[in-house]
Amino acid sequence: MNSIPIQVTELLNYSYSLAKSLLEGQQEFFPFGVFMDYRGNISQRLVHDGDEFPVSEVLIEHIQKDFDDQLASRNITAYSIVYNARVKNEQFPVGIDVVVAKVKGIYDALEVYYLPYQKMGDQLEYLEPWGEKM
């Protein structure tokens, strides 16, 4: 991940730290959001409607719409939406579990960052992350 703006780096660090904590404690997590205000403060946003098994796509869409509205209103400067997924690509043709962080700032296009991980015994091993512009 070359030359990532500091704002995005801070959001990713916070997002990945929270996701790792949830994965290591619960082996899963609901999608959540992380945002940065104009003072540089980072906060999290969890959405849960009481459903024991919510559809992740619905939660992600809800968080993204809210954050896009807040970006447009200039209430926040950037956000990250974080969720679990399984991806296949050239490096992982069989597929691998990843923590996905969709990141967007006021002046930035949506970028998606992936933090692959695998279970090694009772522990999680995190591999080299990568990002893609959308």
Side-chain angles (χ1 to χ4, degrees):
M1 292 192 271
N2 326 350
S3 159
I4 299 174
I6 188 70
Q7 176 179 345
V8 172
T9 301
E10 289 177 7
L11 281 173
L12 286 174
N13 286 341
Y14 187 101
S15 298
Y16 285 158
S17 178
L18 181 55
K20 286 177 179 180
S21 177
L22 291 168
L23 280 173
E24 290 165 8
Q26 304 172 16
Q27 289 78 49
E28 62 184 354
F29 60 88
F30 292 119
F32 64 87
V34 174
F35 63 93
M36 182 178 287
D37 66 18
Y38 277 91
R39 293 184 178 154
N41 298 319
I42 297 176
S43 301
Q44 62 191 25
R45 171 116 194 293
L46 306 174
V47 174
H48 192 286
D49 61 3
D51 185 352
E52 287 283 325
F53 304 101
V55 177
S56 291
E57 291 83 11
V58 172
L59 295 177
I60 292 165
E61 287 173 13
H62 182 76
I63 296 168
Q64 186 161 356
K65 181 185 179 333
D66 180 48
F67 281 170
D68 283 340
D69 290 346
Q70 288 190 49
L71 273 180
S73 299
R74 302 291 196 250
N75 293 326
I76 63 174
T77 62
Y79 69 77
S80 172
I81 300 172
V82 183
Y83 55 95
N84 249 354
R86 185 156 181 91
V87 299
K88 291 181 183 181
N89 59 21
E90 288 181 18
Q91 186 177 356
F92 304 106
V94 175
I96 191 160
D97 293 318
V98 294
V99 174
V100 179
K102 294 169 72 173
V103 179
K104 186 173 183 182
I106 289 177
Y107 303 109
D108 304 317
L110 182 68
E111 295 184 26
V112 181
Y113 294 90
Y114 302 89
L115 176 62
Y117 65 91
Q118 55 193 5
K119 192 167 185 173
M120 302 296 286
D122 290 341
Q123 301 214 352
L124 295 176
E125 175 188 10
Y126 297 95
L127 307 174
E128 186 68 28
W130 76 91
E132 299 175 0
K133 292 188 185 252
M134 300 308 282

